[in-house]
Amino acid sequence: MLAQAARNLDVACRFYADSSDVPGATMGTVISGSLDDDAQLARFADGLDVVTYEWENVPVSAARRIEEFTPVLPPVRALEAAADRLAEKRFFAGLGVPAARFAPVDSREALDDAVAAIGFPAVLKTRRLGYDGKGQAVLRQQADLDAAWDAVGGSPLLLEEWVSFDRELSVIGVRGRDGSITCYPPIENQHHAGILRVSTAPAPGLTAEIMAAAARCVTRALTALDYVGVLAVELFDVGGRLLVNEMAPRVHNSGHLTIEGAVTSQFENHVRAILGLPLGDAGVRGFACMVNIIGDLPPVSEVLAIPGAHLHLYGKSPRPGRKLGHVTVCADTLAQAHQLRGRVEAIAGEPA
Ligand code: AMP
């Protein structure tokens, strides 16, 4: 989707992936190699104007290797901050952005101390390589500690206070090379089995306070990191008060609906930002809902028979729990958008 936006601006793309059989292969040259293959990374970077990433688990060492030849945007320090949940929590705390209480856990004894400080319920998370709820264990009582430790105890951890949120939101901001910043209105996200299933934009019932708090959160992070590109921040809404959950230094799944639901998509704005071009309007057009296609492919003609449905298939083979594409529906009212979304959900596969 980034490459599609780039192509509209007559910008050619080259991709680095672990195999040549990736969706990007239809959009440009693929250099395949591992992220610790310095020679291959150098071949990839040779002659490029800028390198970006859309996966936050790119090792910092790989990004630094590429930086020897070509600018990497968003800056590597953003990758570094987002790759470690503890560094991320400390980063947001330093910005004065509210978040759930947390404590580092590096040993079984430290887990007892952290539980004593934070209380139940709490969630124990791996500091690195966690996504979509993987590498997490919920602690409700003392008896849960041993099993949780056995499940995730092999790596550095973080204990977080459990947040009884009303809903999950994301806010997507973009910062240009000249420091200009634009934010999309907050998006409401619903997960099933830890995987994003439905996003709605603008999030229903947005107040001026929520809009301002979300914009403040992403703007502070963009500025502090001297960021260039799209940054997504995931938030918990607790009775109108926002707590930051985590950030993703990349285009975000919840922002896929900006392709049809905003004046300028997150993908085009990311490309514009990293190329030093003026940013586009992040305003929305009416209401948009996005449904992820997970696990199974739906009958294409049934999806396309839904009025206003935009189908995006990624060319991936079906596998339980795998995101294979998404459908966005746009409407003038929230009620219409939700009605159309219901029709999409009924046929767009079920999360594993
Ligand atoms: P994460 O990988 O940290 O984004 O967590 C995945 C999902 O787990 C989130 O989208 C939330 O639904 C849930 N979650 C994570 N942390 C917490 C928390 N501290 N309190 C409540 N739910 C959480």
Side-chain angles (χ1 to χ4, degrees):
M1 289 177 273
L2 269 174
Q4 286 168 344
R7 182 174 282 178
N8 287 343
L9 299 175
D10 205 16
V11 173
C13 293
R14 185 186 298 165
F15 305 91
Y16 196 82
D18 55 4
S19 117
S20 52
D21 179 25
V22 289
T26 60
M27 301 298 298
T29 313
V30 179
I31 307 287
S32 53
S34 72
L35 287 162
D36 58 6
D37 184 339
D38 277 358
Q40 196 69 336
L41 287 168
R43 264 193 291 282
F44 163 70
D46 184 41
L48 296 177
D49 295 309
V50 62
V51 170
T52 191
Y53 48 90
E54 47 87 90
W55 187 53
E56 71 269 34
N57 292 325
V58 170
V60 168
S61 57
R64 293 245 184 266
R65 171 66 177 163
I66 290 171
E67 230 179 7
E68 291 172 26
F69 310 96
T70 310
V72 174
L73 294 172
V76 181
R77 83 173 70 86
L79 197 56
E80 220 159 10
D84 178 345
R85 287 184 195 275
L86 183 61
E88 190 178 19
K89 296 277 171 204
R90 288 179 170 154
F91 169 68
F92 279 107
L95 297 180
V97 172
R101 290 178 300 132
F102 64 93
V105 173
D106 295 322
S107 65
R108 182 64 182 78
E109 296 70 44
L111 176 58
D112 287 327
D113 294 345
V115 166
I118 287 176
F120 295 114
V123 52
L124 187 62
K125 300 181 174 182
T126 54
R127 280 172 55 179
R128 293 182 175 276
L129 297 178
Y131 70 101
D132 286 348
K134 294 185 175 63
Q136 300 194 6
V138 178
L139 307 179
R140 294 196 171 78
Q141 54 198 355
Q142 204 66 31
D144 295 339
L145 267 60
D146 284 333
W149 182 256
D150 287 346
V152 293
S155 42
L157 303 170
L158 177 77
L159 187 73
E160 240 179 73
E161 171 190 9
W162 182 260
V163 179
S164 295
F165 52 78
D166 298 308
R167 58 177 176 170
E168 294 187 75
L169 302 176
S170 52
V171 60
I172 295 175
V174 54
R175 185 170 180 273
R177 281 193 174 192
D178 62 358
S180 56
I181 291 177
T182 303
C183 295
Y184 292 86
I187 300 167
E188 182 179 300
N189 300 313
Q190 291 161 255
H191 299 81
H192 287 271
I195 302 176
L196 180 65
R197 173 66 166 167
V198 176
S199 291
T200 303
L206 284 179
T207 61
E209 288 75 21
I210 292 177
M211 303 254 289
R216 198 162 50 236
C217 175
V218 72
T219 300
R220 283 187 190 170
L222 286 165
T223 307
L225 293 164
D226 198 16
Y227 198 92
V228 177
V230 162
L231 175 72
V233 179
E234 298 178 13
L235 302 157
F236 298 135
D237 179 351
V238 190
R241 181 165 180 261
L242 300 186
L243 300 180
V244 68
N245 175 29
E246 61 179 358
M247 66 176 168
R250 53 169 168 81
V251 289
H252 194 253
N253 192 169
S254 66
H256 290 8
L257 52 66
T258 61
I259 295 175
E260 293 90 7
V263 178
T264 313
S265 79
Q266 64 164 352
F267 301 102
E268 180 169 332
N269 258 334
H270 186 77
V271 173
R272 288 185 186 212
I274 63 174
L275 293 176
L277 297 169
L279 302 182
D281 186 346
V284 288
R285 303 172 184 274
F287 289 86
C289 285
M290 182 221 61
V291 179
N292 268 332
I293 296 171
I294 300 165
D296 277 324
L297 289 167
V300 168
S301 54
E302 283 184 36
V303 174
L304 298 182
I306 297 171
H310 301 276
L311 175 62
H312 298 258
L313 294 175
Y314 310 153
K316 294 179 175 177
S317 47
R319 195 170 65 210
R322 191 177 202 196
K323 291 173 184 167
L324 305 174
H326 72 270
V327 181
T328 300
V329 288
C330 299
D332 292 335
T333 67
L334 180 62
Q336 283 169 342
H338 275 161
Q339 194 265 340
L340 295 171
R341 179 208 77 178
R343 290 178 62 182
V344 175
E345 273 191 286
I347 53 174
E350 267 304 308

